[in-house]
Amino acid sequence: MNNFLETNASFLLENPELAKAFEQIMTFEKYPKHHILHEAGNVCNHMYIITSGIARVFYYKEDKDITVHFSAEQESITTIDSFIQRKKSKYNIEALEDLEVFKIAHADLESLFDNNPTFERFGRLFLQQIYMDLVERIDDLQLHTAQERYQILLEKKPSLFQRVSSKHIASFLGMTAETFSRIRAK
């Protein structure tokens, strides 16, 4: 979704009180490859900041597995619609590699913001970044050809191509495995 630490590091460094408050609500967790961190049909109660590994957000449509998002080191991942709106999610979150994360509960984050209104700016900045990432993703899918989407992803996140299966990348790019294979061969 976004590069959580890079986007928010300066804000956290400028606010040692906020950094300390976050330390108090985060727990360190490890998950094995293929672990489902969140299952569709449930309310998503956590967001994760990845320190090691890679994960994806996906859903099922007509028995097909559709990837909508990848996050790797120093990025956050959650099913944002469910996390914010407190509704059941249609998305799953899966560890694609062994994963090490800082886990933050929704209730703890809400309590932090309720008890410290000055920290709400951090939440607003974080959500603005998620919004911009989503707009960029929609633009990529609607305004670019399959070849262009492949090239954009290759430029933005080249390590995905070594770490993630072709079927997940193809799905994320909105193309068949065959089209992905042809484009990659060029």
Side-chain angles (χ1 to χ4, degrees), residues 146-154 161 173 180 183-184:
Q147 175 69 44
E148 290 168 336
R149 290 193 303 271
Y150 172 87
Q151 197 59 44
I152 290 167
L153 184 61
L154 185 59
F161 292 82
L173 292 172
F180 179 78
I183 289 172
R184 196 171 193 180

Side-chain angles (χ1 to χ4, degrees), residues 9-23 119:
S10 64
F11 190 73
L12 287 170
L13 290 173
E14 293 167 9
N15 297 278
E17 186 182 351
L18 176 61
K20 185 175 182 175
F22 262 86
E23 283 178 17
F119 295 165

Side-chain angles (χ1 to χ4, degrees), residues 57-108:
V57 176
F58 72 100
Y59 67 96
Y60 292 103
K61 183 178 182 180
E62 300 168 5
D63 295 328
K64 287 185 181 175
D65 167 325
I66 311 291
T67 299
V68 296
H69 179 70
F70 296 108
S71 287
E73 290 83 5
Q74 300 186 27
E75 295 177 332
S76 63
I77 194 164
T78 189
T79 59
I80 195 68
D81 60 331
S82 177
F83 187 76
I84 291 172
Q85 295 177 321
R86 313 308 305 142
K87 67 177 187 174
K88 291 180 181 178
S89 177
K90 63 183 169 233
Y91 300 105
N92 302 279
I93 302 174
E94 177 188 22
L96 295 178
E97 297 176 344
D98 289 343
L99 209 55
E100 294 180 1
V101 300
F102 286 112
K103 180 178 174 181
I104 302 171
H106 179 273
D108 291 340

Side-chain angles (χ1 to χ4, degrees), residues 26 62 94 103 115 124 131 156 163 175:
M26 295 189 304
E62 300 168 5
E94 177 188 22
K103 180 178 174 181
N115 294 327
R124 181 178 51 78
Y131 172 77
K156 282 184 189 174
R163 299 173 71 184
M175 61 182 74

Side-chain angles (χ1 to χ4, degrees), residues 70 146-147 149-151 153-154 160-162 164-186:
F70 296 108
Q147 175 69 44
R149 290 193 303 271
Y150 172 87
Q151 197 59 44
L153 184 61
L154 185 59
L160 281 182
F161 292 82
Q162 285 80 46
V164 174
S165 74
S166 294
K167 70 178 181 177
H168 293 322
I169 295 174
S171 169
F172 176 75
L173 292 172
M175 61 182 74
T176 64
E178 295 78 17
T179 299
F180 179 78
S181 187
R182 274 194 311 276
I183 289 172
R184 196 171 193 180
K186 289 183 182 180

Side-chain angles (χ1 to χ4, degrees), residues 1-4 7 68-71 75-76 125-141 156-157 172:
M1 193 133 297
N2 69 50
N3 187 319
F4 183 86
T7 303
V68 296
H69 179 70
F70 296 108
S71 287
E75 295 177 332
S76 63
L125 293 173
F126 178 71
L127 290 175
Q128 282 177 345
Q129 185 60 49
I130 290 172
Y131 172 77
M132 294 307 300
D133 291 345
L134 289 172
V135 167
E136 197 172 283
R137 171 91 170 116
I138 291 166
D139 284 351
D140 284 349
L141 289 170
K156 282 184 189 174
K157 294 191 172 194
F172 176 75

